[in-house]
Amino acid sequence: MALHSHPERRERAKRARPELLAALRQRCSATMGGVELEAVIARLQHNLYDIVEPLDVLYGERTDVIALVRRLLEVVADGLAERPERLRVLDRRREVDPVWFQRSRMIGYVAYTDRFAGDLAGVRKRLDYLAELGVTYLHLMPLLQARDGDNDGGYAVVDYRSVQRRLGTMADLQALADDLHERGMSLCIDLVLNHTAAEHPWARAAAAGDPALRDYYLVFDDRTEPDEYERTLPYIFPQTAPGNFTNVSGLGWVWTTFNAFQWDLNWANPDVFAAMLDTMLYLVNRGVDVLRLDAVPFMWKRRGTNCQNQPEAHLLLQALRGLVRVAAPGVLFKAEAIVAPEQLVQYLGAHERHRPQADLAYHNQLMVMLWSALAARDVRLASTALARMRPAPPGAGWVTYVRCHDDIGWAVSDADAAAVGWNGHSHRRFLADFYSGAHPGSFARGVKFQADERTADARTSGMTAALCGISAARQASDVAALEAGARRLLLLYSIIYSFGGIPLVYMGDELALGNDDDWAARVGSAQDNRWLHRPPMDWAAADRRSTPGTLEHRVFTELRRMGAARRSLLALRTGAPTWLKDTGNAHVLGYVRRHPRSGTFLALANFSDHSQHVSQELIARLGTHHLVPVAETAAEVGEQGVALPPWGYLWLTEP
Ligand code: OTU
């Protein structure tokens, strides 16, 4: 199925316009009037094509799509009616300044509420710490009410309208959002769209025999269809949750892409769509600015495929965004799609139709390529693969990151590897071995995650400090190795701060915290080693950020400097392309960003353990010659070019 616009559908959408606009007008006029009401109608006018057409493709065969849109607009109108005044003011501001989230002042921080500060009230007391680091965007890891016992770090939700009891209440979340807004910061939380917990009331009702709720999930009476699907489906957690279906007694075979206790929703059912839209509006009306939409590539299934990245998954996002925008135009969608490089940018709307979808998406390819270059001490693959990617559309942008709360999946495409004369499979293998420390001479202390016997692929868990060599150096009390590790960490962070996206600092990296060696005891099982890189915050280490000579001081201070420099550089705004440049040196990554008002920005990053030279010619050609003072281990810019110290980086801009 193509995403091409269908003339008949387009016509149907066009014909229904006046009726739909009138319906929303009528429904909203009970609670608002005047300019406010006209603004809402204008928003619907603006978004209507992104709503009606995709819904027609998705549900047109199953239901009267115009009636469905009317029903969804009622949900939107109700959401609008309860949207608090202060959030509407924020909406207004953001409509006036739609690039608000692309400004270079945006710097993200990601943490588990409990591990960072105990509970939501505790987070409110730590905002000065975040402000000191320059953070303006806080992503709190899953915090909605999850099932008891193993809940995949909160990704198995039983109630989308309440906060996990031990973290606080919805009122606490609202209070935190207010505090953040007062400081010009925004709040992001996770919303799991692909599945609910097996204990969610919908799932319980389905299991109890309610046919309407059974249709919320993908349930099969026997193995016939599951077996057919399995032929082309990968396993996400091959060691701990092999297979994609779970037999639930009295119900049947339930689609469970992830763990057995995470039941995939049936998005082909418009009731699921309506329920999730309602959930979204509920959450954004509590003050959430950004919804991180979990596992979106999996939302639509198609026989004979891997059931990821289906065109319908994109249409679902497009329609959901269109509807949410009518009620809450200041809210952003952040798509969590950790997929192959050629599939990524589509989640930002850059597919064949170029319609908006998510405003933000994870730049997984940059993350993988940074680690690849660091292990190989060679940037050719990174430079080639990144240059081959299509840029983000102008109104959207990447979030850039060095590592996240999940494992690192080695998304090196065979085609990219071949383009530099490497073998994709061996390179992926090398990376998994290198970062587990198994490869001879490796400085890394990560571990393998979910090695898949079927594909011989393994992923990697570990904190940035452990993967960069800091942990090994500390263990060996090796001063030179510690210096090397610190430089590697800062090198990677310098790139995500300057690549043209919102950089995300994952909690602990600003202090070079190592792996949580007690993770298994802490989570009560040794099943899921991703907990290795989800440690509790070490506030004693945080205190050392003010003590010169400590590693914490070194890393924290340099990240602050990067943030300050970033804020002053228009070229580092999110959006607009990043141009990869051949530096004439296989160890040095080079890229350029441009902004009409501030001219050209050039970054050079040395991935080798030796000093590297970049010729003056490249720099002169780019016309950039003003040094941005960020790195402690400064590069030398002379007549002959630039001398970059081992793992050194350099930012240059037009004066
Ligand atoms: C996400 O990850 C979350 O980030 C994980 O923490 C969850 O376990 C999971 O969903 C289930 O809710 O495959 O290995 O393309 O990469 O959704 C982790 C997206 C995952 C997937 C992603 C998923």
Side-chain angles (χ1 to χ4, degrees):
M1 194 207 72
L3 287 173
H4 282 305
S5 175
H6 195 289
E8 213 174 287
R9 292 207 163 92
R10 183 141 272 231
E11 194 45 45
R12 184 148 58 214
K14 206 169 152 191
R15 263 202 318 273
R17 264 179 101 82
E19 171 197 344
L20 293 170
L21 290 165
L24 186 69
R25 179 181 290 280
Q26 203 212 346
R27 182 88 179 198
C28 287
S29 54
T31 53
M32 62 179 68
V35 177
E36 180 91 22
L37 178 59
E38 295 313 317
V40 171
I41 299 304
R43 278 186 226 144
L44 180 60
Q45 267 167 341
H46 185 68
N47 286 288
L48 204 55
Y49 277 124
D50 289 315
I51 298 168
V52 182
E53 263 199 284
L55 289 172
D56 200 355
V57 179
L58 292 161
Y59 304 117
E61 321 248 291
R62 183 167 163 151
T63 186
D64 172 354
V65 74
I66 302 306
L68 172 65
V69 177
R70 288 186 76 127
R71 176 179 158 207
L72 296 172
L73 288 177
E74 284 174 16
V75 176
V76 168
D78 293 349
L80 253 170
E82 71 137 14
R83 188 152 177 85
E85 173 87 16
R86 62 186 190 289
L87 296 181
R88 291 191 200 195
V89 171
L90 212 52
D91 286 334
R92 273 297 167 91
R93 300 187 69 94
R94 290 171 179 176
E95 281 189 296
V96 168
D97 178 22
V99 297
W100 66 276
F101 68 96
Q102 297 183 316
R103 295 195 184 286
S104 52
R105 69 180 287 278
M106 291 298 277
I107 294 173
Y109 191 81
V110 190
Y112 286 90
T113 302
D114 55 346
R115 286 169 180 235
F116 179 59
D119 55 17
L120 289 168
V123 174
R124 295 176 65 194
K125 298 198 190 102
R126 292 293 185 182
L127 298 184
D128 284 342
Y129 175 80
L130 298 180
E132 190 185 326
L133 187 58
V135 170
T136 55
Y137 168 100
L138 176 62
H139 172 188
L140 291 177
M141 293 301 292
L143 49 69
L144 299 177
Q145 190 58 57
R147 76 195 284 271
D148 294 332
D150 185 2
N151 54 36
D152 188 21
Y155 287 104
V157 175
V158 293
D159 182 2
Y160 289 96
R161 287 167 192 250
S162 63
V163 167
Q164 286 177 40
R165 279 178 292 277
R166 58 196 181 84
L167 304 181
T169 62
M170 226 6 124
D172 292 329
L173 188 70
Q174 268 171 282
L176 171 64
D178 289 345
D179 284 2
L180 288 167
H181 292 154
E182 235 163 73
R183 291 171 179 253
M185 298 181 180
S186 36
L187 175 65
C188 170
I189 69 164
D190 282 81
L191 178 60
V192 192
L193 291 181
N194 179 66
H195 45 268
T196 72
E199 293 76 12
H200 189 284
W202 299 340
R204 285 198 191 279
D210 183 329
L213 274 306
R214 180 188 161 111
D215 198 25
Y216 270 46
Y217 298 93
L218 294 149
V219 187
F220 305 92
D221 291 329
D222 57 44
R223 282 293 309 186
T224 319
E225 285 184 78
D227 284 342
E228 274 172 39
Y229 279 110
E230 281 289 17
R231 254 174 248 144
T232 51
L233 283 174
Y235 297 166
I236 305 298
F237 300 135
Q239 286 184 351
T240 52
N244 286 277
F245 299 87
T246 299
N247 194 10
V248 177
S249 82
L251 188 61
W253 289 90
V254 179
W255 199 307
T256 54
T257 299
F258 295 93
N259 292 291
F261 54 78
Q262 290 162 304
W263 291 15
D264 288 43
L265 285 162
N266 174 21
W267 279 88
N269 178 355
D271 291 342
V272 168
F273 186 99
M276 273 301 175
L277 173 65
D278 198 21
T279 304
M280 284 180 159
L281 294 174
Y282 176 84
L283 292 172
V284 302
N285 279 346
R286 312 274 92 57
V288 173
D289 303 284
V290 182
L291 291 172
R292 173 198 180 274
L293 305 176
D294 183 61
V296 291
F298 299 85
M299 287 165 74
W300 199 273
K301 326 291 185 191
R302 172 168 284 109
R303 222 175 300 242
T305 72
N306 64 357
C307 296
Q308 291 179 42
N309 310 309
Q310 295 301 308
E312 291 87 345
H314 293 282
L315 295 174
L316 286 168
L317 290 183
Q318 187 188 343
L320 283 167
R321 183 179 181 278
L323 287 156
V324 169
R325 285 258 144 175
V326 177
V331 165
L332 304 178
F333 278 8
K334 178 166 67 166
E336 193 258 343
I338 309 304
V339 294
E342 62 278 7
Q343 305 277 5
L344 271 178
V345 75
Q346 283 85 325
Y347 289 90
L348 293 175
H351 45 69
E352 43 188 302
R353 284 193 59 199
H354 276 270
R355 301 301 304 180
Q357 272 182 44
D359 309 282
L360 295 168
Y362 288 81
H363 203 327
N364 177 57
Q365 186 62 183
L366 177 63
M367 187 271 283
V368 167
M369 286 301 146
L370 293 181
W371 292 110
S372 161
L374 199 63
R377 297 164 166 89
D378 186 318
V379 306
R380 285 171 299 167
L381 175 62
S383 200
T384 305
L386 292 166
R388 282 156 76 105
M389 284 181 72
R390 275 182 284 161
W398 301 110
V399 289
T400 53
Y401 62 115
V402 169
R403 57 105 187 172
C404 70
H405 75 289
D406 281 332
D407 51 287
I408 302 174
W410 297 111
V412 173
S413 90
D414 289 338
D416 288 336
V420 294
W422 296 1
N423 174 287
H425 181 74
S426 349
H427 188 57
R428 291 191 291 272
R429 227 184 184 167
F430 159 71
L431 292 169
D433 284 343
F434 188 92
Y435 285 107
S436 74
H439 188 84
S442 168
F443 47 75
R445 292 291 178 271
V447 296
K448 284 189 183 170
F449 176 76
Q450 303 274 353
D452 190 339
E453 281 168 17
R454 307 187 309 168
T455 59
D457 269 341
R459 287 124 77 183
T460 298
S461 287
M463 289 290 278
T464 303
L467 302 182
C468 278
I470 292 173
S471 303
R474 278 185 149 150
Q475 211 169 13
S477 307
D478 182 334
V479 179
L482 191 63
E483 173 64 20
R487 288 191 191 187
R488 289 189 198 101
L489 184 149
L490 291 166
L491 175 73
L492 299 191
Y493 266 94
S494 80
I495 295 169
I496 66 146
Y497 265 67
S498 62
F499 204 77
I502 302 178
L504 301 182
V505 179
Y506 275 78
M507 194 206 81
D509 283 2
E510 76 278 22
L511 304 167
L513 286 193
N515 290 340
D516 180 6
D517 293 321
D518 302 327
W519 69 270
R522 226 186 286 282
V523 296
S525 117
Q527 289 263 318
D528 187 346
N529 67 31
R530 289 177 296 175
W531 288 99
L532 190 70
H533 50 255
R534 302 167 180 174
M537 183 59 164
D538 182 344
W539 287 106
D543 287 343
R544 288 195 290 277
R545 75 187 183 280
S546 337
T547 311
T550 63
L551 181 63
E552 290 83 358
H553 178 265
R554 165 87 180 275
V555 173
F556 194 93
T557 309
E558 196 154 318
L559 285 185
R560 279 190 66 180
R561 271 207 300 273
M562 285 179 206
R566 194 183 136 77
R567 281 191 291 280
S568 73
L569 293 165
L570 287 167
L572 297 193
R573 285 180 172 206
T574 295
T578 301
W579 305 100
L580 275 302
K581 293 286 167 188
D582 182 358
T583 60
N585 183 326
H587 306 292
V588 180
L589 188 73
Y591 51 93
V592 158
R593 305 228 359 121
R594 294 201 174 90
H595 186 277
R597 239 183 292 148
S598 74
T600 304
F601 166 90
L602 167 69
L604 295 174
N606 175 11
F607 278 81
S608 91
D609 33 10
H610 298 286
S611 295
Q612 295 297 332
H613 184 263
V614 175
S615 78
Q616 179 60 28
E617 195 207 326
L618 171 82
I619 294 159
R621 205 171 59 222
L622 295 168
T624 60
H625 45 272
H626 182 77
L627 187 74
V628 185
V630 270
E632 192 175 304
T633 44
E636 279 167 42
V637 190
E639 303 260 301
Q640 307 306 320
V642 176
L644 287 158
W647 305 287
Y649 64 92
L650 175 70
W651 290 1
L652 292 171
T653 186
E654 285 183 56

